[in-house]
Amino acid sequence: RGEEAACFMITNAIWMSMVCLLVGTLDVVLDSSARVAPYRILHQTQDSQVYWAVACGSSRKEITKHWEWLENNLLQTLSIFDNEEDITTFVKGKIHGIIAEENKNEQPQSEEDPGKFKEAELKMRKQFGMPEVEKLVNYYSCSYWKGRVPRQGWLYLTVNHLCFYSFLLGKEVTLVIQWVDVTQLEKNATLLFPECIKVSTRDSELYFSMFLNINETFKLMEQLANIAMRQLLDNESFLQDKSLPKPRKPLKNISALKRDLDARAKNECYRATFRLPKDECLDGHTDCTLWTPFNKMHIPGQMFVSNNYICFASKAEEACHLIIPLREVTIVEKADSSSVLPSPLSISTKSKMTFFFANLKDRDFLVQRISDFLQRTPSKKPCSSDREWNSPLAVSPTSALSNQPGNFCAGEVPTASQGLLKLFRRNSEELLGSKGAKEKMKEESWNIHFFEYGRGMCMYRTAKTRELVQKGIPENLRGELWLLFSGAWNEMVTHPGYYADLVEKSMGKYNLATEEIERDLHRSMPEHPAFQNELGIAALRRVLTAYAFRNPTIGYCQAMNIVTSVLLLYCNEEEAFWLLVALCERMLPDYYNTRVVGALVDQGIFEELTREYLPQLSEKMQDLGVISTISLSWFLTLFLSVMPFESAVVIVDCFFYEGIKFILQVSLAILDANMEKLLQCCDEGEAMTILGRYLDNVVNRQSVSPPIPHLHALLTSGDDPPLEIDIFELIKTSYEKFSNLKADDIEQMRFKQRLKVIQSLEDTAKKSVVRAVSGDIGFSIEELEELYVVFKAKYLMSCYWGNNRAAAAARRDQSLPYLEQYRIDMEQFKELFISLTPWSCGAHTPVLAGRLFRLLDENRDSLINFKEFVTGMSGMYHGDLTEKLKVLYKLHLPPALNPEETESALEATSYFTEDVTTEGNATLLPLPLSLGRNCSINPCAVDSDFVQEEKGTSPQDYRYYLRMWAKEKESKKETIKDLPKMSQEQFIELCKTLYNMFSEDPVEQELYHAIATVASLLLRIGEVGKKFSNKPMRKSEDYKANNTQDPVSEEESPTSEQSQNSAVEQQPQADHEDKTCGDAQPEKPQQENQTLGDVSGEGQGSPLQLLSDDETKDDMSMSSYSMVSTGSLQCEDIADDTVLVGCEGTSSAARYGSTIDTDWSISFEQILASMLTETALVNYFEKKVDILQKIKDQKKVERQFSSSSDYELSSVSG
């Protein structure tokens, strides 16, 4: 029966464990409680079968903590109740109240997140160890494929991380990936993974499938990864938009952050479609029809309403686009409904145009919203910079600006009030020939188009508009239409006087950008007469300088001068400035920054399109490496630097209308036209020559401007007569073969390529930094790369979760070298030091980390870069015993050791108040710390202070600075003789560090014996050395003068010295000597009479208090280590757990006046020689530690996850 009972109990336990595993699995799949807690506290009313859960915990420690709280706060109150039901009611109410209060405190009242979403966010934070500032965006049920086995669980998408959790039949899977580590996101379907999302990092590929709505999930993942890339690119951290309108209907399980991201995506698409300013926010959109008078039709599409614009886009892509600025609107009214025109809305503008919208679902609400926006729209004052859109075509479109002031600053060259091409037209005979007639026909065609479709910003934009652009814009209209199609006109008219203010502020100021601008001014179309004149050069200078001051992040980039010079030919300065703004900030994003990221992104798109449309040529071009060479010059300058000017300007016409899509399709057409020749090329040079000659001979036979010599053509001309290619034929071919490119597809491809490019740049930066520091550091390349990843992750963590995230992000200056871009502060360094140091000192480790940080922070800006970080780490990991001890020695000297940490430093400050002349030091300047015999200042600090003194007295002596600079450049290796001596209190700090360092070592007892022996020996050495150093010092009159400040007089010092010497040497007369010393100094308090005496524990009445190991390790205050007794450092005392002693007195003056000998000092050579006598110490410091393993452990410990094995054990035992 006993065996049967045991078998039954085992079977029951197994059955219960299986039930727990099954319930836990179902909870994860169904998202009820994510996991059954292995420990619970239940309340049961007597004679009832119902249990009420009071608390739960994942470990015995957690549940015990809950029980202790109940004992202290709840159980004592239950005795006042008479019956069990009242107790149950009270307990239930109390627990529910506590839970409600906790949830209320954890979630701000202003948040609009639904209740279930808040529960999921709290669960996410607890499960993955995320702080409050890490916000959950959304969560999805899905499967993670681990090998060939799907693990059903929940995918949590936060602002900075992708997290996944699964608990399936006892097996737990936890994933945490930073978005900045994602290198690729793909949505695909294979036989193995049906319709899955692939997330790639540098180390792994993760597959997630079985989503309820995979498109929504993938789109959100793309947005979050894109935000992370922006942070890497330009430190743009994510800030939630608090101004979003509240939803009219409550949205189920959609967080405020998700709404924010959805709104951002719609805003970006809206602005890109209609070329609107970057701060324009979409309010809403609705289906409708638009009456188009030019073809008498109702075109179906969507109306978009925002703060300042009403826009319309037809469902058919090229049927009609319309942009109505609210500043132009005069009347908005509801027209009478009819069967032909249901729910119509008419909008009239200042230009006498009326637009009819119909089939509006909620017309009343729409009219109210538009009216609200109209009331907020400021009434626009007449501005002299307004174009007269309906002026006669014979008048220059920029002539209306000719009444502007001639200059922005007194003494400057007059401002170009119109396009430079009109001022420098060299040959007017062309206007009278066939080319002139052709130009007049183009102008007439546009005149007819303006009459039918409207002129200005409210013009109907249709397929007819695009056809006219493809045929080339007349020179008289080019500036006007560039402003319209690019959207630059909107920004110019809403910022009157902005450019003039910028010019005024920027004139006369110089920085790196202005220097580069001056260098490139005369390289900007030097063959054109407009830029052989000071008027054109001055205009170009003002525009480029004004933009550099507007956007210091970009400043100035090469190729901006070429594009801007062309803009100035057709526009006045202000118009050219706003066109440049549109180019750099909207149409070609990130093109003109220091790393030309945008151009590299579009280069990747070009390679991808080449593989798709020209597969035969793609492989050959990749082998030759041509695409990466040609595309940058093509894209950055919009072909202006590689094609004759008359032809390239037609490319610019189409670009302003179509965007980057047109540049890509023309590039494909050029490769297609030269496919046969390129396939036969043997090297990159030959391919470049073929493409160069082709582009040189792209001509514009309709141009009325005289041909401008093309320098590139002169360099690449061959012997054979060139075959000319008409630019309009090239454009026509590009539309015929590659017109199916879509703007939305290109934006999607841009995101994909941006991930690759930025991660590639980050890898390049890592290799560059590692290569820069590898020569001076003992770590291998692999170890340095891993350390760089950890260092960068710590910096990024401060941007995510730090107390001052804005300041942390501002630390990264993109203009600095890669080595200086990521820098961490002391708190972040302490975290890294604690996890990576081979010298673990328990609770003393943060103190040691702070000292090392101060030692590494040479420029005293409270930040260290990666080189400084690995230099400190290398000192602990690499080198022989001498090098490691040298690092440890420096950590106990200023500047590593704070004055607050050692009272001897404070004493030295008051002691050396005047210049002291000794035999070893001729002149001492007033410095914060002593530079006397016990000097503990780094020699570099002396030089820097001396430089400051020189600056104050003789700023003209530049030769001194040259000598100092030459001295700094000399590669002088520090020797052990260069290290200053260590005072007694600094030595005590060193002993304290060593004691803590050995406390967790497997052979700690041997190390304790060894360090006790070494410390005793060094104390004796210091005392002996003091005898020799004091004799010459007493001969110095300056020393006598300063010594009067010491509490011990010169006459008494021999007695005191004798007493201390006898104490150190532990003679039998020690007690008698102490008594004699006390008698010789009757005026001193008994507390100040304590000296270094024998405290071995045998003598009674010892004035010193012994501390145990535990007490010493717990107490980090200076009072515990204010003095060291040689007797207490003997081996027999170590065995008795007595190593360090503390002074009974609490007075700072008493301690430094009696327990610390200011004349005592020890050198590094003496410490090194003593250490070498102990094998245990030598073995400890020469022990090899694998830093890669430390890094792996650090990554595991960054977040504490409950392991599946622990849970299995708990569930079975329950």
Side-chain angles (χ1 to χ4, degrees):
R1 287 181 180 179
E3 292 178 356
E4 290 178 358
C7 182
F8 174 77
M9 291 175 66
I10 293 172
T11 305
N12 190 40
I14 295 174
W15 169 249
M16 289 298 294
S17 66
M18 292 296 293
V19 169
C20 288
L21 292 177
L22 181 60
V23 172
T25 301
L26 292 176
D27 282 337
V28 170
V29 174
L30 300 177
D31 190 33
S32 58
S33 63
R35 251 179 67 171
V36 174
Y39 297 95
R40 290 185 292 172
I41 298 174
L42 304 176
H43 176 81
Q44 181 189 22
T45 307
Q46 194 172 3
D47 300 329
S48 173
Q49 299 297 320
V50 179
Y51 292 85
W52 297 98
V54 174
C56 62
S58 58
S59 65
R60 187 181 296 275
K61 181 178 179 181
E62 184 180 357
I63 203 67
T64 303
K65 184 178 178 182
H66 292 323
W67 178 255
E68 290 174 352
W69 187 93
L70 290 171
E71 281 185 326
N72 297 329
N73 296 276
L74 192 64
L75 296 184
Q76 297 175 1
T77 313
L78 301 183
S79 58
I80 64 174
F81 293 99
D82 297 331
N83 56 61
E84 295 288 336
E85 292 184 358
D86 290 344
I87 293 176
T88 302
T89 303
F90 173 77
V91 170
K92 285 169 58 180
K94 186 72 173 177
I95 298 300
H96 285 311
I98 293 172
I99 294 173
E101 187 65 26
E102 183 71 17
N103 290 338
K104 180 181 177 181
N105 293 334
E106 290 189 358
Q107 293 292 340
Q109 295 294 325
S110 59
E111 290 195 4
E112 305 168 4
D113 296 337
K116 190 173 182 182
F117 184 87
K118 291 181 183 179
E119 293 177 9
E121 187 170 39
L122 291 172
K123 189 186 302 179
M124 177 273 298
R125 288 186 186 143
K126 184 177 180 181
Q127 184 64 50
F128 301 102
M130 298 290 182
E132 286 284 328
V133 294
E134 184 68 6
K135 299 294 184 181
L136 178 66
V137 180
N138 212 349
Y139 64 104
Y140 302 92
S141 174
C142 68
S143 291
Y144 162 63
W145 291 80
K146 191 172 183 180
R148 296 188 177 182
V149 180
R151 301 297 183 106
Q152 186 68 26
W154 289 89
L155 182 71
Y156 298 89
L157 304 181
T158 72
V159 173
N160 301 303
H161 296 83
L162 177 152
C163 308
F164 177 82
Y165 178 76
S166 170
F167 181 79
L168 190 64
L169 298 179
K171 298 296 183 181
E172 187 177 47
V173 177
T174 305
L175 296 174
V176 178
I177 301 169
Q178 292 187 48
W179 289 116
V180 292
D181 292 333
V182 174
T183 58
Q184 191 175 9
L185 279 175
E186 285 185 308
K187 183 178 65 175
N188 50 30
T190 62
L191 293 175
L192 184 60
F193 306 115
E195 198 174 25
C196 67
I197 295 176
K198 175 185 173 185
V199 181
S200 301
T201 65
R202 291 178 178 84
D203 305 322
S204 59
E205 293 181 350
L206 310 174
Y207 293 88
F208 300 93
S209 65
M210 300 179 69
F211 290 95
L212 187 63
N213 190 340
I214 191 170
N215 293 326
E216 177 193 332
T217 309
F218 185 71
K219 184 178 178 181
L220 180 57
M221 292 169 77
E222 279 189 329
Q223 281 182 281
L224 293 170
N226 199 35
I227 290 172
M229 293 305 105
R230 299 302 313 180
Q231 186 176 25
L232 285 178
L233 180 60
D234 49 21
N235 291 341
E236 280 189 12
S237 57
F238 177 80
L239 295 174
Q240 185 177 354
D241 186 2
K242 302 292 185 181
S243 62
L244 281 178
K246 294 183 179 180
R248 298 172 67 185
K249 297 179 181 179
L251 301 174
K252 186 179 180 181
N253 293 339
I254 297 181
S255 67
L257 270 178
K258 178 68 168 60
R259 288 179 51 232
D260 184 1
L261 288 171
D262 290 343
R264 288 177 187 229
K266 290 178 181 179
N267 287 336
E268 289 173 5
C269 181
Y270 171 62
R271 290 191 294 260
T273 303
F274 299 103
R275 308 275 171 81
L276 300 178
K278 293 181 71 173
D279 56 353
E280 194 66 20
C281 295
L282 179 66
D283 186 71
H285 59 89
T286 183
D287 292 334
C288 66
T289 59
L290 172 66
W291 170 255
T292 50
F294 51 86
N295 59 1
K296 307 294 189 291
M297 290 179 62
H298 291 282
I299 299 179
Q302 281 191 321
M303 174 193 284
F304 301 85
V305 179
S306 61
N307 301 348
N308 301 293
Y309 298 90
I310 300 172
C311 302
F312 175 84
S314 59
K315 290 185 178 179
E317 185 179 2
E318 297 177 1
C320 182
H321 270 211
L322 181 65
I323 303 171
I324 308 173
L326 291 182
R327 63 178 181 270
E328 299 289 334
V329 174
T330 56
I331 299 175
V332 177
E333 58 182 355
K334 293 181 284 187
D336 295 335
S337 297
S338 65
S339 57
V340 179
L341 210 63
S343 303
L345 176 69
S346 72
I347 299 176
S348 302
T349 66
K350 296 176 183 177
S351 58
K352 310 302 182 185
M353 295 182 70
T354 302
F355 304 94
F356 288 98
F357 298 91
N359 294 290
L360 293 163
K361 293 181 180 178
D362 198 345
R363 184 176 61 168
D364 294 338
F365 176 76
L366 180 63
V367 170
Q368 183 60 46
R369 292 298 294 166
I370 295 174
S371 300
D372 293 342
F373 288 134
L374 280 172
Q375 291 178 359
R376 300 176 201 166
T377 303
S379 57
K380 184 171 164 293
K381 297 179 181 180
C383 180
S384 60
S385 63
D386 287 350
R387 279 184 180 270
E388 297 293 337
W389 297 114
N390 297 317
S391 60
L393 290 176
V395 180
S396 166
T398 54
S399 60
L401 291 111
S402 59
N403 60 348
Q404 281 189 331
N407 56 352
F408 290 105
C409 298
E412 290 294 325
V413 177
T415 303
S417 57
Q418 57 182 334
L420 295 176
L421 200 62
K422 284 196 169 294
L423 300 176
F424 295 92
R425 191 184 297 277
R426 293 185 300 178
N427 189 1
S428 59
E429 294 180 0
E430 296 286 347
L431 296 175
L432 304 176
S434 58
K435 291 184 178 180
K438 186 76 173 178
E439 186 77 0
K440 288 292 183 184
M441 289 176 61
K442 285 184 181 180
E443 290 182 0
E444 189 60 31
S445 298
W446 277 99
N447 192 20
I448 296 171
H449 185 273
F450 292 149
F451 179 77
E452 293 183 357
Y453 297 88
R455 186 171 187 176
M457 189 54 67
C458 300
M459 174 176 62
Y460 293 98
R461 307 177 192 204
T462 65
K464 178 67 175 176
T465 312
R466 195 184 73 175
E467 290 176 12
L468 287 175
V469 172
Q470 290 175 22
K471 293 176 181 178
I473 299 175
E475 289 192 353
N476 285 338
L477 298 175
R478 188 159 271 149
E480 172 186 327
L481 294 177
W482 282 1
L483 285 167
L484 284 181
F485 297 149
S486 67
W489 173 254
N490 287 320
E491 292 187 276
M492 187 174 73
V493 297
T494 53
H495 297 83
Y498 178 84
Y499 173 71
D501 293 339
L502 267 183
V503 171
E504 186 175 354
K505 292 175 183 177
S506 62
M507 276 303 177
K509 295 183 181 179
Y510 298 96
N511 53 30
L512 181 61
T514 57
E515 290 178 9
E516 293 177 347
I517 289 169
E518 288 297 327
R519 189 172 59 245
D520 287 348
L521 283 177
H522 295 278
R523 303 176 187 173
S524 309
M525 296 189 67
E527 64 277 8
H528 198 285
F531 299 100
Q532 298 168 1
N533 184 287
E534 185 58 29
L535 177 63
I537 294 294
L540 182 60
R541 177 187 293 113
R542 283 191 292 269
V543 173
L544 291 175
T545 305
Y547 185 77
F549 274 80
R550 166 188 165 86
N551 192 344
T553 304
I554 293 177
Y556 171 77
C557 176
Q558 286 188 342
M560 288 172 66
N561 60 320
I562 297 175
V563 175
T564 307
S565 61
V566 174
L567 300 179
L568 281 168
L569 290 176
Y570 297 98
C571 307
N572 66 41
E573 282 186 34
E574 186 177 13
E575 293 169 343
F577 170 80
W578 287 110
L579 278 170
L580 185 62
V581 170
L583 271 175
C584 296
E585 298 177 12
R586 291 189 285 107
M587 300 190 72
L588 297 176
D590 304 321
Y591 260 60
Y592 300 106
N593 56 27
T594 53
R595 298 191 283 181
V596 292
V597 172
L600 293 173
V601 168
D602 287 345
Q603 174 185 299
I605 295 175
F606 184 42
E607 292 179 2
E608 192 172 340
L609 292 174
T610 305
R611 285 193 294 271
E612 180 180 350
Y613 289 98
L614 305 172
Q616 295 179 340
L617 187 59
S618 173
E619 187 175 348
K620 181 73 175 180
M621 297 291 280
Q622 289 293 334
D623 294 340
L624 297 176
V626 174
I627 289 183
S628 60
T629 306
I630 60 174
S631 55
L632 281 181
S633 59
W634 293 3
F635 297 161
L636 278 171
T637 64
L638 304 176
F639 289 94
L640 288 167
S641 63
V642 296
M643 195 180 283
F645 168 76
E646 300 82 10
S647 304
V649 77
V650 181
I651 299 285
V652 178
D653 291 342
C654 297
F655 165 75
F656 276 123
Y657 188 79
E658 297 274 11
I660 192 63
K661 163 181 176 264
F662 176 76
I663 300 296
L664 291 169
Q665 70 183 37
V666 166
S667 301
L668 289 171
I670 293 171
L671 291 184
D672 184 57
N674 293 276
M675 183 183 294
E676 293 183 4
K677 294 180 181 179
L678 290 172
L679 289 173
Q680 298 174 5
C681 289
C682 301
D683 55 32
E684 180 186 1
E686 187 178 354
M688 292 294 295
T689 302
I690 290 172
L691 292 173
R693 287 180 177 174
Y694 178 86
L695 291 171
D696 291 337
N697 293 291
V698 176
V699 298
N700 180 3
R701 299 186 179 92
Q702 300 177 12
S703 175
V704 295
S705 298
I708 299 173
H710 190 227
L711 296 180
H712 191 262
L714 298 176
L715 296 173
T716 58
S717 59
D719 297 330
D720 299 330
L723 178 64
E724 293 184 344
I725 302 98
D726 186 74
I727 181 63
F728 298 105
E729 286 297 323
L730 177 62
I731 291 173
K732 181 181 178 182
T733 303
S734 72
Y735 275 102
E736 288 175 351
K737 292 188 174 182
F738 308 107
S739 61
N740 54 350
L741 289 177
K742 306 296 181 187
D744 293 341
D745 296 338
I746 290 173
E747 286 302 316
Q748 184 71 25
M749 294 165 73
R750 269 182 168 172
F751 163 75
K752 180 180 176 182
Q753 293 297 328
R754 191 177 292 116
L755 279 181
K756 289 183 179 179
V757 168
I758 295 180
Q759 296 292 12
S760 175
L761 289 173
E762 290 295 309
D763 291 340
T764 302
K766 178 174 71 174
K767 292 176 182 177
S768 175
V769 170
V770 167
R771 187 166 56 248
V773 303
S774 58
D776 306 325
I777 306 298
F779 291 115
S780 66
I781 297 295
E782 181 185 3
E783 290 171 338
L784 284 173
E785 288 181 348
E786 289 296 325
L787 283 170
Y788 181 84
V789 171
V790 172
F791 184 85
K792 175 183 165 185
K794 186 58 65 178
Y795 163 80
L796 292 174
M797 209 66 71
S798 67
C799 297
Y800 300 158
W801 300 337
N803 294 329
N804 195 347
R805 285 172 277 170
R811 277 188 232 142
R812 188 184 177 206
D813 187 352
Q814 297 279 357
S815 63
L816 292 174
Y818 288 135
L819 188 59
E820 296 285 342
Q821 288 191 10
Y822 293 114
R823 294 179 292 171
I824 60 174
D825 59 21
M826 182 179 286
E827 292 305 316
Q828 296 157 7
F829 176 78
K830 283 183 179 179
E831 294 173 10
L832 286 177
F833 182 89
I834 291 170
S835 59
L836 298 179
T837 180
W839 298 342
S840 179
C841 301
H844 190 61
T845 308
V847 178
L848 202 64
R851 293 175 185 169
L852 182 57
F853 183 88
R854 288 189 290 272
L855 185 65
L856 297 173
D857 183 20
E858 295 180 357
N859 60 355
R860 301 291 178 266
D861 63 349
S862 300
L863 297 170
I864 62 170
N865 60 31
F866 178 68
K867 183 174 183 179
E868 294 166 335
F869 168 71
V870 293
T871 299
M873 288 289 118
S874 180
M876 296 183 290
Y877 275 93
H878 296 286
D880 54 12
L881 173 67
T882 304
E883 293 299 321
K884 292 179 180 178
L885 284 178
K886 192 188 295 183
V887 173
L888 195 60
Y889 186 84
K890 288 180 181 179
L891 293 181
H892 296 83
L893 298 174
L897 194 68
N898 262 345
E900 293 80 6
E901 292 182 294
T902 168
E903 292 170 3
S904 63
L906 294 177
E907 179 188 1
T909 305
S910 60
Y911 188 80
F912 290 95
T913 54
E914 300 178 0
D915 291 356
V916 180
T917 304
T918 65
E919 293 179 21
N921 205 359
T923 303
L924 289 176
L925 298 174
L927 294 175
L929 294 177
S930 163
L931 297 182
R933 183 181 63 249
N934 294 335
C935 175
S936 54
I937 294 284
N938 191 317
C940 296
V942 183
D943 293 341
S944 63
D945 286 333
F946 191 67
V947 169
Q948 291 178 6
E949 184 74 15
E950 286 291 324
K951 284 182 180 178
T953 57
S954 179
Q956 306 298 329
D957 189 7
Y958 62 90
R959 289 174 296 179
Y960 170 78
Y961 296 102
L962 289 176
R963 288 195 299 271
M964 293 298 298
W965 176 79
K967 186 178 179 181
E968 290 174 2
K969 291 297 180 183
E970 291 178 0
S971 57
K972 181 182 177 183
K973 187 175 182 181
E974 185 183 46
T975 65
I976 58 177
K977 294 185 180 295
D978 296 328
L979 295 173
K981 289 188 175 183
M982 181 177 280
S983 68
Q984 191 176 79
E985 195 156 27
Q986 292 163 355
F987 177 71
I988 293 170
E989 284 293 324
L990 176 61
C991 293
K992 170 184 172 181
T993 299
L994 289 169
Y995 174 76
N996 283 280
M997 191 183 296
F998 302 149
S999 63
E1000 299 176 7
D1001 197 271
V1003 292
E1004 61 178 331
Q1005 289 302 320
E1006 294 181 28
L1007 291 168
Y1008 287 157
H1009 281 274
I1011 196 59
T1013 304
V1014 169
S1016 300
L1017 177 60
L1018 289 171
L1019 284 168
R1020 294 189 185 98
I1021 292 172
E1023 291 296 335
V1024 173
K1026 186 175 66 173
K1027 293 180 181 179
F1028 296 99
S1029 61
N1030 277 350
K1031 290 178 182 179
M1033 287 294 290
R1034 284 196 298 269
K1035 296 177 184 179
S1036 171
E1037 292 181 2
D1038 290 338
Y1039 173 76
K1040 290 178 181 178
N1042 282 297
N1043 199 31
T1044 58
Q1045 300 175 16
D1046 198 282
V1048 182
S1049 66
E1050 189 178 351
E1051 291 78 9
E1052 293 171 333
S1053 60
T1055 308
S1056 177
E1057 179 182 344
Q1058 183 181 2
S1059 171
Q1060 291 173 354
N1061 288 341
S1062 62
V1064 172
E1065 294 167 8
Q1066 295 185 8
Q1067 298 296 330
Q1069 299 88 352
D1071 293 341
H1072 176 69
E1073 294 286 338
D1074 287 345
K1075 184 178 180 181
T1076 304
C1077 179
D1079 295 337
Q1081 301 171 356
E1083 72 278 10
K1084 288 193 174 184
Q1086 181 67 29
Q1087 201 174 32
E1088 294 185 3
N1089 247 345
Q1090 298 171 5
T1091 60
L1092 294 170
D1094 184 5
V1095 286
S1096 61
E1098 298 175 2
Q1100 296 183 2
S1102 172
L1104 301 174
Q1105 180 182 359
L1106 304 181
L1107 296 179
S1108 67
D1109 283 355
D1110 295 335
E1111 291 170 340
T1112 306
K1113 282 185 282 187
D1114 291 339
D1115 189 0
M1116 291 295 106
S1117 64
M1118 271 303 304
S1119 61
S1120 299
Y1121 300 93
S1122 59
M1123 60 181 299
V1124 173
S1125 169
T1126 55
S1128 69
L1129 291 174
Q1130 297 300 318
C1131 299
E1132 59 268 25
D1133 297 321
I1134 293 292
D1136 295 332
D1137 288 341
T1138 306
V1139 290
L1140 294 178
V1141 297
C1143 180
E1144 291 178 354
T1146 58
S1147 170
S1148 173
R1151 287 199 301 267
Y1152 96 70
S1154 61
T1155 64
I1156 300 302
D1157 190 347
T1158 57
D1159 293 330
W1160 188 96
S1161 66
I1162 200 79
S1163 68
F1164 176 74
E1165 296 99 311
Q1166 292 165 333
I1167 293 178
L1168 175 62
S1170 303
M1171 289 277 198
L1172 289 173
T1173 62
E1174 294 295 331
T1175 306
L1177 295 176
V1178 174
N1179 292 338
Y1180 178 86
F1181 283 103
E1182 290 188 344
K1183 179 174 58 179
K1184 298 294 182 183
V1185 181
D1186 185 10
I1187 194 169
L1188 293 177
Q1189 186 60 44
K1190 285 268 187 182
I1191 293 173
K1192 290 180 182 177
D1193 295 341
Q1194 187 257 355
K1195 290 179 179 178
K1196 291 178 182 177
V1197 175
E1198 276 197 342
R1199 294 185 184 83
Q1200 296 292 337
F1201 300 122
S1202 56
S1203 64
S1204 57
S1205 58
D1206 291 340
Y1207 176 71
E1208 289 166 14
L1209 181 63
S1210 302
S1211 60
V1212 171
S1213 63

